[in-house]
Amino acid sequence: MPLTRGRRQTRHLIPQATAFCVALALLTGCGGDNVNETGPLTAPQAEAALPGAKAAPGWKVTVEPVAYPQEKARELGVARCYEGSEECSKPRVTGVSGLAGGRGKPRLDFVLMAYEDAEAARTSYEPVWKAWRGQSVEPRELDLGEVGDQSDAVSGLSPSLVDGARTVFVQARVGSVIMVTVGEAGSGVELPKTLAKFATLFAERAEQAQDGKSPSATLDDVA
């Protein structure tokens, strides 16, 4: 799933083929997102999709990948409910992980929210992005290319208010999964390119999980 140019990727049916697609949708998935709909991800599947040591050789794991059904995720503080209690109740599973690259590299956090189906994720995408975007101080839109079925990114001052630190937030959706990748680093550290690679890696692993495969994509697989 390589990056391509443009702020957001959308998929459209060719008008002449619409009736044909509707007739065969249940059998072929015509006109849907680029994953096989096999039901919502389970907590173990979501945990496997989160970037960890095997996915990012050379990076230090700061938070081991974990994922829980939503009620337990909220009890444990794994579900970060910036978007409010109503939207926070919609995912079926939430998981998190974290990595650090050491000197000259950013600290990265990953959040995965698995929904009942692709339509539920599409409906939740904008309010979830509004909430996460709001965590950045003085955010400005970034064009990192397209990741997954939808994607957005902003760069801004770090919420930690560490002098000179900046943060990049990237949100992407693949099928029934919304993923947020957050990177923070001091001045002089390249953030956008690194975040683009990790968000793409995250999306590829989520797609593999939704296809019923064991997520195996690593940074080496991302152009």
Side-chain angles (χ1 to χ4, degrees), residues 20 25-26 47 50 70 91 101 104 107 121 150 176 191 195 220-221:
F20 181 73
L26 293 178
E47 186 174 301
L50 286 155
Q70 191 66 2
R107 178 178 61 82
Q150 290 176 272
S176 62
L191 269 176
L195 267 290
D220 292 337
D221 300 318

Side-chain angles (χ1 to χ4, degrees), residues 24 27 44-45 57 60 112 114 116 121 133 160 184 186 207-208:
L24 296 183
L27 295 177
Q45 287 175 315
K60 178 183 177 181
L112 183 153
E116 177 67 30
R133 185 186 187 280
S160 69
E184 181 176 326
E207 182 171 344
Q208 289 173 332

